[in-house]
């Protein structure tokens, strides 16, 4: 079916920014820090990525700049919450608000100019394969990077000693400190990693997804990424599944709106009925599914105390002041 | 200490001097709902403000507030501008209507103008644009240019302004090609570049080869360019984003109106207005240059534009509603009040209206 193939190839581009930003935030939250500044960091990454690409002509330099800017910008959050021990929720929100304004200011000269789009992969023979060719061998480089990122983070968190240390800091910073683990330093590194990922996700928007700069171009994706981490109960592969589920829902919904049912009578009855059913659901409702799904998952997790203890980093959002 | 005092006196004198200078100037102010960097709706209002600065030079001083959210919050913005010495204030979004009206009552000496609303006062006028005129021309072009006879249309919310434009687009298209189909996709947002791009891809994947949009970003135009189909720009001329794709763009050209109103206020001839400007009013609704089409399509578009500029209304009967019930009799022209409250599709538009 043509539409199915079309949906598949578009989904990866739509899901990648969510996946990258959420994976970064997952590491931050696993270390016990809640950074609500993802949207702001993404915007800083998007504007710096676009600017450097426009000025140098090299998208890869733009991506690099976005990663660095995201990490440096998140240091501001780190300094305030970890060194000065300010409230993490308030500081994270401030980081978003500042990011919206600052990125708009930096981006003024770049408004109204089309950017350079990063070219997608092309492997002769493989990219042309039906159905899977374009999806597996014809996407943009950041898509592959995002997959590597999930594999890497999953391996790091659950397969290495350093990952175990990071999780222990997030689960009980008092005990970790007593064992001589440098809690603050580890959290700084985690926050910077989250910032770098958010910056990369922003660059994906302004260099790959929609190669342009406009104020507020993330349009709430930072918040979806935050919701996604909770939705995935702090597990990398569930973040992956969630990002693609959210992406698939958006794209499928748009395609179903555009489809003309009267041309699809040759389809099996059940499929046709399903399409007709989805088409009858108001699009506003379909747009809100990611948020509803997150609420449902939260309810399910928090109803069961064991599930909560198993999944949520116990020190999440708590300030840490070393007592000696 | 003496030096400090001296410096203070000098500073005060300087401030007084600048104030006096500022008082000679006429101060006009704008309130924008979005960012001037949106390259769309607010960007175009700001272009109008810049045109005022250019037209009057030293005689005017302008200022603006951007990203002002609609609703009660806006009241503070208008009050601040009125207190700061603005003599004429333009509120540029529908949701500013009530707050602006309240502030206008409190500051009877300050003049106010509100875009797209309907509340007027002794010192508050309203102004709006007849975008549907341009949409009709676009519909005609789309039907001529399309090879698949399928167009795509990306829209935000089912409000009268949006429905009016969908209807005009389809009426225009069907006046040329009754078999032309318009696929409509609602993205439930005025501004989300990613989702607009995804909607464009979905429409192209399903056979549309001409795209229109009633959302603010340039994303759909870029997708059209990379996929090799045609598209219409929105709010601004988007030709840079689709040099091979853009057929024309519906440009909000507020500049002539703003210049004339500031001039009237300076001359003391300002009266509260209630205007709905179209192509005939100094091209307040401006169609960007017709590009990427053959000469005969261009000639047709120009002829229609001229006809509308001459006073013809695209909503002239006979027109039926979507379900076939008669709406306008032969030769009957739709009343402005009906258009401004439009909540139905005309015959020929496919799909159900979201509720």
């Amino acid at each position: 079916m043509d539409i199915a193939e079309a949906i598949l190839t578009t989904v990866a581009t739509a899901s990648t920014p969510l996946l990258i930003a959420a994976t970064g935030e997952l590491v931050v939250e696993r270390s016990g820090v809640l950074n609500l500044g993802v949207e702001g960091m993404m915007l800083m990454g998007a504007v710096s990525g676009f600017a450097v690409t426009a000025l140098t002509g090299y998208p890869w330099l733009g991506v690099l700049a976005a990663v660095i800017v995201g990490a440096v910008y998140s240091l501001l959050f780190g300094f305030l919450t970890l060194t000065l021990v300010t409230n993490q929720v308030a500081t994270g929100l401030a980081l978003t608000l500042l990011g919206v304004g600052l990125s708009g200011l930096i981006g003024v000269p770049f408004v109204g100019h089309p950017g350079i789009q990063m070219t997608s992969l092309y492997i002769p023979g493989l990219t042309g394969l039906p159905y899977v060719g374009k999806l597996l061998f014809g996407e943009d480089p950041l898509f592959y990077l995002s997959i590597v990122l999930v594999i890497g983070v999953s391996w790091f968190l659950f397969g290495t000693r350093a990952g175990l240390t990071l999780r222990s800091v997030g689960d009980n910073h008092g005990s970790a400190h007593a064992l001589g683990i440098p809690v603050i330093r580890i959290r700084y590194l985690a926050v910077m990693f989250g910032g770098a990922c958010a910056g990369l996700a922003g660059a994906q928007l302004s260099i790959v997804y929609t190669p342009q700069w406009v104020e507020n171009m993330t349009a709430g994706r930072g918040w979806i990424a935050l919701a996604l981490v909770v939705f995935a109960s702090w597990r990398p592969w569930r973040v992956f599944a969630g990002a693609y589920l959210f992406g698939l829902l958006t794209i499928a919904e748009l395609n179903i709106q555009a489809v003309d049912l009267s041309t699809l009578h040759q389809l099996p009855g059940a499929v046709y009925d399903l399409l007709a059913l989805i088409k009858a659901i108001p699009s506003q409702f379909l747009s809100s599914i990611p948020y509803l799904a997150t609420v449902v998952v939260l309810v399910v997790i928090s109803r069961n105390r064991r599930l909560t203890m198993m999944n949520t980093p116990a020190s999440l959002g708590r300030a840490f002041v070393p007592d000696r | 200490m003496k030096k400090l005092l001296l410096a203070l006196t000098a500073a005060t004198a300087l401030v007084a001097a600048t104030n006096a200078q500022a008082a000679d100037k006429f101060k006009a102010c704008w309130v924008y709902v979005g960012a001037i960097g949106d390259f769309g709706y607010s960007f175009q209002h700001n272009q109008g403000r810049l045109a005022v600065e250019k037209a009057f030079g030293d005689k005017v001083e302008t200022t603006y507030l951007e990203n002002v959210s609609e609703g009660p919050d806006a009241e503070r913005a208008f009050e601040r501008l009125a207190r700061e010495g603005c003599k004429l204030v333009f509120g540029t979004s529908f949701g500013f209507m009530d707050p602006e009206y309240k502030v206008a009552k409190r500051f009877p000496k300050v003049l106010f103008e509100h875009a797209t609303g309907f509340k007027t006062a002794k010192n508050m006028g309203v102004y709006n644009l007849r975008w549907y005129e341009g949409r009709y021309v676009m519909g005609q072009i789309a039907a001529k240019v399309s090879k698949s006879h399928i167009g795509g249309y990306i829209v935000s919310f089912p409000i009268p302004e949006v429905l009016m434009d969908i209807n005009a687009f389809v009426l225009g298209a069907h006046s040329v090609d009754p078999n032309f189909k318009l696929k409509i996709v609602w993205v439930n947002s005025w501004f989300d570049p990613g989702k607009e791009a995804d909607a464009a891809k979905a429409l192209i994947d399903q056979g549309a080869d001409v795209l229109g949009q009633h959302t603010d970003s340039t994303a759909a135009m870029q997708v059209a360019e990379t996929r090799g189909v045609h598209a219409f720009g929105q709010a601004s001329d988007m030709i840079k984003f689709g040099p091979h794709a853009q057929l024309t763009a519906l440009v909000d050209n507020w500049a002539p109106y703003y210049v004339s109103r500031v001039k009237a206020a300076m001359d003391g001839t300002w009266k509260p207005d209630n205007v709905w400007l179209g192509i005939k009013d100094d091209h307040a609704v401006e169609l960007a240059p017709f590009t990427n089409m053959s000469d005969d399509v261009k000639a047709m578009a120009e002829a229609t534009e001229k006809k509308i500029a001459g006073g013809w209304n695209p909503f002239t009967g006979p027109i039926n509603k979507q379900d076939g019930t008669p709406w306008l009799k032969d030769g009957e022209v739709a009343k402005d009040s009906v258009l401004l409250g439009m909540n139905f599709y005309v015959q020929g538009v496919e799909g159900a209206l979201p509720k």
Side-chain angles (χ1 to χ4, degrees), chain B residues 280-300:
Chain B
K280 67 174 189 312
D281 309 285
D282 283 328
H283 287 270
V285 171
E286 185 184 328
L287 287 164
F290 299 118
T291 44
N292 299 314
M293 62 180 87
S294 64
D295 285 343
D296 58 317
V297 180
K298 195 174 162 183
M300 175 204 68

Side-chain angles (χ1 to χ4, degrees), chain B residues 113-120 124-128 257 273-275:
Chain B
E113 298 239 7
H114 177 236
T116 72
F118 51 80
K119 278 193 182 169
T120 55
M124 180 163 157
V126 294
Y127 60 106
N128 200 350
Y257 181 73
D273 238 345
N274 186 348
V275 291

Side-chain angles (χ1 to χ4, degrees), chain B residues 106-153:
Chain B
R106 279 207 294 275
F107 292 86
K109 282 187 185 152
V110 181
L111 307 177
F112 290 86
E113 298 239 7
H114 177 236
T116 72
F118 51 80
K119 278 193 182 169
T120 55
K122 261 185 202 157
N123 60 333
M124 180 163 157
V126 294
Y127 60 106
N128 200 350
L129 291 184
R130 293 178 189 272
W131 284 285
Y132 67 86
E133 296 182 344
R135 296 282 182 200
Y136 185 87
V137 181
M138 288 179 167
Q140 286 196 324
I141 297 171
K144 278 269 184 199
V145 168
S146 174
K147 291 196 176 75
S148 63
H149 304 282
I150 298 172
Y153 202 82

